[in-house]
Amino acid sequence: GERSAELGMSYVQFAMQGLRHQMSQGAANWTIDPGDRFTFYRLVDSVVPSAVGKDGHEKSFFDGIDTSLPGLMRRLGVEGTNDPWLREGLERIAADVAEATAARDSTVTAKPLMATLRELDNILARLRRGGVQSLAIPGILQVLEEKHQQAETALNLALGVSLTADVSSGLERDVHLLKEADALTAVSPGQEFLVAVTFHNGSKQPLVIDHIKLEVPAGWNTISGKTRPETVKAGEDLHANFRLRVPKDTGYTRPYWHRDDPETEAVNHIDDEKYATLPFPPPALRARVEYSAGGAGVVPTRNGITTVVVTPFLDDAGKKRARPLAIVPAFSVMLEPGTQVISTHHGSTSTVSVGVTSNLTHGVHGVLRLELPAGWRSEPAQFAVESKPRGEKQDFQFKVFTTGLHEGRATVRAVLESEGEKYSEGYTLVTREDLGSFYYYQPARQRVSIVDVQAPHDLKIGYIMGAGDDIPTVLKQVGMDVTLIPAEKLGGEDLSKYGTIVLGIRAYDTQKEVVANNKKLLDFVSAGGTLVVQYNAGVGDFNGGKFTPYSAELSRARVSVEEAPVEILAPDDGVFHYPNTITARDFDGWVQERGLYFMNKWDEHFTPLLSCHDPGEDAQKGGLLRAQYGKGIYIYAGYAFFRQLPAGVPGAVRLFVNLLSAKSNN
């Protein structure tokens, strides 16, 4: 709760600003009032001498712990009189940093910071030569190299030195900023581009530039650039242009981790351990300037400044933005939809759409085709692709003919061949103004789930979205007649033309029109319709609204183990027999969880249909409830059908179709 003058708020308020970025959990509007906040801890054990104050309490978690640089030796096990130079050097650094911290004038701050850098250079050079024999040396080197970078940054700030490295969309300096769609924010193998580097000397003394260079991946070459030593006067700039060509075999800007199958794998594979503590790999291109600073009566000190190569652009609001230059494939190939559920009883054709986007600035030719399971074919067999202007998407429609369908899994892939290269994945820029940006890759493939499901084609279903799910797409794929009803039109919609109405996940939480028209939905049931209500997370609001036809209380109970055994409580109920027979095997292969936000109390008019529970917990019977209301049927479904159907889980597809057909199987 302590207020920071630098932050302009308390530390806990600043922390809350960070947490508010977690918008998926509704944190965007969370706030904390200014003032004291206390959290109490009890010291259970300690490996350092007691450092309590006069009142018998520690003032900080760091009381009794030497957090200074000289304390580094003791923490990492470098002790003794054989290495006094290291201890003495670290003590000098600590004194210089204290002097720089106490100073209020940048010219005064710069002098002890220069001494800090020189001392760090000497210590690091001696450690690398083997000046100390200890297993802890790699740990010390890592910490001191980090301190060296921090000292460089501090001295650059004290001197007013800055560096920019901007990508031009042409081969000479841009005189104006482009809009984001036109700016060269990503390059591909074979492309040439220009990087304009500007070093600004904001100090009150001339600085001698030792060299100015681009740090690029291995195998890259700069075509041109000004790199000779030069003196930059106080307040002046130094410019250098570098022309580069992206090598054909260069690596792409992508995460260093992946999952082969996100649907079944919960943990990422780490592709490069050296990035394991970072959210993403560092940018591929950087500019660096090394210079010497000194002045009257000051020992010359060599320092450096590094910056990421970025592309500046104007956003839609006309505000200047910048994004690190990325390296991406020449083509992005996206296959849509990413999942497909095919019924063994409904037709033998499907449609696949392939989106192709080029990142090249020149036109190229290619051939696009599908890789299909044995016996399947597509019309046409392939498309000739002429690349459009950079960033412009083209869509190609394939009609896929299947044969010999049996329940199981299959995969359809899309491949584009151009200039001897094959492209079989798509990439998307994921960005937020306040959280940066990165590229997300996914293979150009469609996961096909072939399901033995009988689906009544003459049953008209109305689907009202809540927070959003893909269930309607799957229902249409297996041959059901589904109409999306916009929530805002629910009040004027004639529901009598539908046999079943489905409320999407969290419909009462997110759609005020659903709340306002709840009586209309219950009247639809009373008149003979079937209403399927999926889970809602606003437990208090749901229970307070009394939205169910008979009393029932929603809870936060869930079953998170997707393999948890499921017991059919009412085996004779029609929902387990028409139009599909449901058995224990229909609960095999579920993904992520069984269900969430089950009911924990309900009126005797409700019949619990299923029971399951996580290991060591009590049976949860409120995940699927069915009640006769008037001439119709009301169903509450807390089981996670919104996850299972898009994943093509056969048993979940069959059971959900049965729920929609509840009036027919009554």
Side-chain angles (χ1 to χ4, degrees), residues 356-373:
V356 175
T357 305
S358 170
N359 189 56
L360 301 177
T361 54
H362 61 281
V364 294
H365 309 284
V367 175
L368 178 67
R369 58 183 175 81
L370 297 181
E371 293 181 347
L372 299 166

Side-chain angles (χ1 to χ4, degrees), residues 366-501:
V367 175
L368 178 67
R369 58 183 175 81
L370 297 181
E371 293 181 347
L372 299 166
W376 294 23
R377 64 182 179 86
S378 70
E379 289 185 0
Q382 63 184 39
F383 280 100
V385 177
E386 303 289 336
S387 66
K388 296 288 186 180
R390 185 171 58 89
E392 185 175 323
K393 182 183 177 185
Q394 300 180 75
D395 290 311
F396 300 90
Q397 300 285 336
F398 290 90
K399 192 171 185 180
V400 176
F401 295 84
T402 61
T403 184
L405 294 179
H406 300 282
E407 186 162 290
R409 299 278 181 171
T411 302
V412 174
R413 291 180 170 86
V415 178
L416 173 67
E417 294 188 37
S418 176
E419 298 184 337
E421 298 289 333
K422 291 184 178 182
Y423 303 91
S424 58
E425 64 180 347
Y427 55 88
T428 305
L429 177 66
V430 181
T431 184
R432 273 180 56 94
E433 176 185 335
D434 51 354
L435 295 180
S437 60
F438 212 75
Y439 284 84
Y440 169 66
Y441 289 78
Q442 50 189 324
R445 68 183 178 192
Q446 180 185 79
R447 301 172 184 275
V448 181
S449 179
I450 305 167
V451 180
D452 182 4
V453 55
Q454 295 281 2
H457 308 316
D458 56 349
L459 175 62
K460 291 185 67 65
I461 300 166
Y463 204 101
I464 304 170
M465 279 292 178
D469 59 70
D470 290 327
I471 288 179
T473 300
V474 177
L475 296 178
K476 291 177 182 179
Q477 289 173 351
V478 299
M480 300 199 77
D481 183 356
V482 181
T483 299
L484 290 178
I485 304 174
E488 63 272 17
K489 295 185 178 180
L490 176 57
E493 183 77 4
D494 178 12
L495 301 184
S496 64
K497 59 186 177 184
Y498 301 105
T500 299
I501 299 292

Side-chain angles (χ1 to χ4, degrees), residues 301-623:
T301 301
R302 189 170 182 175
N303 192 27
I305 183 170
T306 303
T307 191
V308 174
V309 175
V310 301
T311 299
F313 59 89
L314 295 176
D315 63 15
D316 293 339
K319 188 175 181 180
K320 183 179 178 179
R321 304 285 183 195
R323 183 174 298 141
L325 181 69
I327 305 160
V328 299
F331 289 96
S332 171
V333 182
M334 305 280 280
L335 194 151
E336 300 171 352
T339 60
Q340 177 92 353
V341 179
I342 299 176
S343 168
T344 58
H345 303 279
H346 178 63
S348 58
T349 63
S350 63
T351 300
V352 171
S353 176
V354 181
V356 175
T357 305
S358 170
N359 189 56
L360 301 177
T361 54
H362 61 281
V364 294
H365 309 284
V367 175
L368 178 67
R369 58 183 175 81
L370 297 181
E371 293 181 347
L372 299 166
W376 294 23
R377 64 182 179 86
S378 70
E379 289 185 0
Q382 63 184 39
F383 280 100
V385 177
E386 303 289 336
S387 66
K388 296 288 186 180
R390 185 171 58 89
E392 185 175 323
K393 182 183 177 185
Q394 300 180 75
D395 290 311
F396 300 90
Q397 300 285 336
F398 290 90
K399 192 171 185 180
V400 176
F401 295 84
T402 61
T403 184
L405 294 179
H406 300 282
E407 186 162 290
R409 299 278 181 171
T411 302
V412 174
R413 291 180 170 86
V415 178
L416 173 67
E417 294 188 37
S418 176
E419 298 184 337
E421 298 289 333
K422 291 184 178 182
Y423 303 91
S424 58
E425 64 180 347
Y427 55 88
T428 305
L429 177 66
V430 181
T431 184
R432 273 180 56 94
E433 176 185 335
D434 51 354
L435 295 180
S437 60
F438 212 75
Y439 284 84
Y440 169 66
Y441 289 78
Q442 50 189 324
R445 68 183 178 192
Q446 180 185 79
R447 301 172 184 275
V448 181
S449 179
I450 305 167
V451 180
D452 182 4
V453 55
Q454 295 281 2
H457 308 316
D458 56 349
L459 175 62
K460 291 185 67 65
I461 300 166
Y463 204 101
I464 304 170
M465 279 292 178
D469 59 70
D470 290 327
I471 288 179
T473 300
V474 177
L475 296 178
K476 291 177 182 179
Q477 289 173 351
V478 299
M480 300 199 77
D481 183 356
V482 181
T483 299
L484 290 178
I485 304 174
E488 63 272 17
K489 295 185 178 180
L490 176 57
E493 183 77 4
D494 178 12
L495 301 184
S496 64
K497 59 186 177 184
Y498 301 105
T500 299
I501 299 292
V502 183
L503 299 186
I505 60 171
R506 299 185 58 206
Y508 287 100
D509 298 341
T510 61
Q511 305 290 355
K512 62 181 183 297
E513 294 86 355
V514 173
V515 173
N517 288 279
N518 186 66
K519 184 177 183 303
K520 181 174 183 176
L521 292 170
L522 295 182
D523 288 344
F524 163 77
V525 178
S526 180
T530 298
L531 178 65
V532 178
V533 178
Q534 297 185 82
Y535 93 94
N536 285 267
V539 174
D541 291 338
F542 188 89
N543 292 336
K546 301 185 184 303
F547 300 126
T548 55
Y550 308 107
S551 63
E553 289 190 15
L554 186 63
S555 74
R556 296 186 178 274
R558 65 175 65 209
V559 179
S560 57
V561 177
E562 58 266 38
E563 301 92 356
V566 177
E567 178 186 0
I568 298 177
L569 298 176
D572 295 331
D573 195 290
V575 297
F576 299 117
H577 297 280
Y578 178 84
N580 303 282
T581 299
I582 304 299
T583 65
R585 73 180 183 89
D586 289 297
F587 298 98
D588 294 340
W590 283 46
V591 298
Q592 186 159 337
E593 59 192 339
R594 284 296 189 200
L596 64 171
Y597 294 93
F598 288 6
M599 297 285 189
N600 63 351
K601 294 181 181 179
W602 51 87
D603 182 273
E604 62 182 9
H605 287 87
F606 284 104
T607 299
L609 301 177
L610 299 175
S611 175
C612 65
H613 60 87
D614 280 326
E617 297 188 1
D618 295 334
Q620 300 289 343
K621 299 182 179 181

